[in-house]
């Protein structure tokens, strides 16, 4: 059981220091010219911004796996649905600047669509898209979780059906007639809230918003897991049958943390899209959901900070490895998971705690 304070003074110092360093990167990119000793390249700012989105997704997964003992192999679908919800607004914000100079997105013109499907209604509004970013993954998670948890599905069986869910959605979104761009998805974004999405100032703003959301989510999750609710969630993880014996109904506690985790993952996807510039069904690949589990395991599940560290570490290694040995990354990832499971069962965060002890 974690100590109620959760983070030590050294951990808080590290959080503040990392926040300051991360916040400084886009400013150094903006205010110092290329070639200056303090200049940070634009590609590095974009890369770190993407890593922060992954870190938010890993944190979301840690809430259900690390604290409630619910292993999900389908969180990629929530990430992608949040991305698609925001991407619909970004596609409409292109206006008539597409290849076909139509009010419709290029993929709809190419497929001979005459008008927007009904589910695109209102997506020309930024605020409607933000609501969809929260509601679409949240409602799907609530409905799926309600029937799964009410049926007492747990353990490996629950993990399998979550992976089946994300695979089914991936196949659905690959179809051209669903209205989401098929295999190509959404891309070629031009602007967000009237600002050029490729402008350095816009990129810096998106980066800083992502950092703020990640920090806010970390504080929210810490507040939850150190509260009475958090202790009940950990009781669900450690002995659900004993919790039921003393009068608690685990259904609603599991459903709450499952839905919250899906919403956080959807927000991560929404922040990911404008910074990366594309979203397609491959983001729903079961392999992506498994990678999220590896981020949490490498960093240390049930620690909040661990999955964030794991997301940065694994994806940083992936960026280097896929450049140096592009065909060997999946083998390396599997080896990492095996070594961490065998020698670091508590992940990198557990290693740090052991050294401090």
């Amino acid at each position: 059981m974690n100590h109620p304070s959760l983070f030590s003074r050294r951990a808080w110092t590290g959080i503040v220091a990392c926040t300051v360093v991360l916040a400084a990167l886009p400013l150094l990119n903006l205010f110092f010219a290329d070639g200056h000793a303090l200049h940070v390249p634009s590609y590095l700012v974009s890369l770190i911004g993407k890593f922060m989105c992954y870190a938010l997704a890993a944190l979301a997964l840690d809430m259900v796996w690390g604290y409630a003992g619910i292993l999900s192999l389908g969180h990629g679908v929530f990430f992608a649905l949040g991305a698609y919800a925001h991407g619909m607004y970004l596609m409409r914000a292109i206006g008539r600047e597409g290849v076909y100079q139509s009010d419709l997105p290029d993929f709809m013109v190419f497929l001979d669509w005459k008008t927007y499907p009904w589910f695109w209604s209102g997506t020309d509004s930024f605020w409607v898209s933000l609501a969809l970013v929260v509601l679409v993954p949240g409602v799907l998670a609530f409905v799926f979780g309600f029937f799964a948890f009410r049926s007492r599905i747990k353990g490996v069986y629950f993990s399998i059906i979550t992976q089946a869910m994300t695979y089914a959605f991936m196949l659905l979104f690959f179809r051209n007639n669903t209205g989401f761009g098929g295999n190509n998805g959404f891309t070629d974004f031009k602007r967000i809230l009237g600002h050029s999405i490729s402008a350095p100032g816009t990129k810096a703003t998106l980066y800083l918003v992502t950092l703020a959301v990640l920090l806010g989510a970390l504080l929210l999750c810490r507040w939850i897991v150190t509260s009475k609710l958090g202790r009940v969630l950990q009781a669900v993880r450690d002995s659900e049958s004993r919790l039921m014996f003393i009068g608690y109904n685990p259904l609603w506690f599991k459903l709450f943390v499952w839905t919250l985790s899906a919403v956080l993952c959807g927000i991560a996807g929404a922040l990911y899209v404008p910074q990366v510039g594309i979203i397609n069904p491959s983001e729903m690949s079961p392999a992506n959901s498994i990678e999220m589990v590896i981020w949490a395991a490498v960093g240390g599940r049930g620690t909040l900070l661990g999955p964030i560290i794991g997301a940065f570490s694994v994806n940083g290694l992936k960026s280097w490895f896929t450049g140096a040995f592009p065909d060997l990354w999946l083998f390396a990832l599997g080896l990492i998971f095996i070594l961490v499971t065998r020698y670091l069962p508590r992940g990198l965060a557990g290693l740090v705690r052991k050294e401090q002890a």
Side-chain angles (χ1 to χ4, degrees), residues 26-47:
L27 303 180
L28 294 176
N29 172 261
L30 284 176
F31 297 131
F32 292 95
D34 190 12
H36 194 281
L38 294 178
H39 177 76
V40 174
S42 297
Y43 82 87
L44 184 59
V45 174
S46 299
L47 187 66

Side-chain angles (χ1 to χ4, degrees), residues 214-228:
L214 176 60
L215 184 61
L218 176 64
L219 296 177
L220 171 65
C221 292
R222 177 189 176 275
W223 176 74
I224 290 173
V225 301
T226 55
S227 67
K228 292 181 179 179

Side-chain angles (χ1 to χ4, degrees), residues 159-171:
S159 301
I160 290 172
I161 64 171
T162 57
Q163 189 162 67
M165 174 184 66
T166 190
Y167 188 70
F169 269 88
M170 182 185 71
L171 294 179

Side-chain angles (χ1 to χ4, degrees), residues 179-229:
F180 293 104
N183 181 63
N184 296 321
F186 300 158
T187 188
D188 195 31
F189 308 129
K190 303 295 185 184
R191 62 182 66 84
I192 181 171
L193 290 174
H195 300 281
S196 171
I197 208 164
S198 59
T202 306
K203 289 184 175 181
T205 301
L206 288 168
Y207 175 101
L208 292 173
V209 169
T210 304
L211 176 60
V213 171
L214 176 60
L215 184 61
L218 176 64
L219 296 177
L220 171 65
C221 292
R222 177 189 176 275
W223 176 74
I224 290 173
V225 301
T226 55
S227 67
K228 292 181 179 179
L229 171 59

Side-chain angles (χ1 to χ4, degrees), residues 317-338:
L317 181 62
K318 180 180 181 179
S319 295
W320 172 82
F321 212 97
T322 51
F325 311 100
D327 297 330
L328 300 179
W329 167 243
L330 290 180
F331 297 100
L333 185 64
L335 179 62
I336 290 170
F337 189 60
I338 292 171

Side-chain angles (χ1 to χ4, degrees), residues 141-157:
F142 183 88
V143 173
F144 178 89
F146 177 79
F147 288 105
F149 298 142
R150 191 182 67 168
S151 301
R152 306 276 181 88
I153 299 173
K154 60 178 69 175
V156 67
Y157 302 104

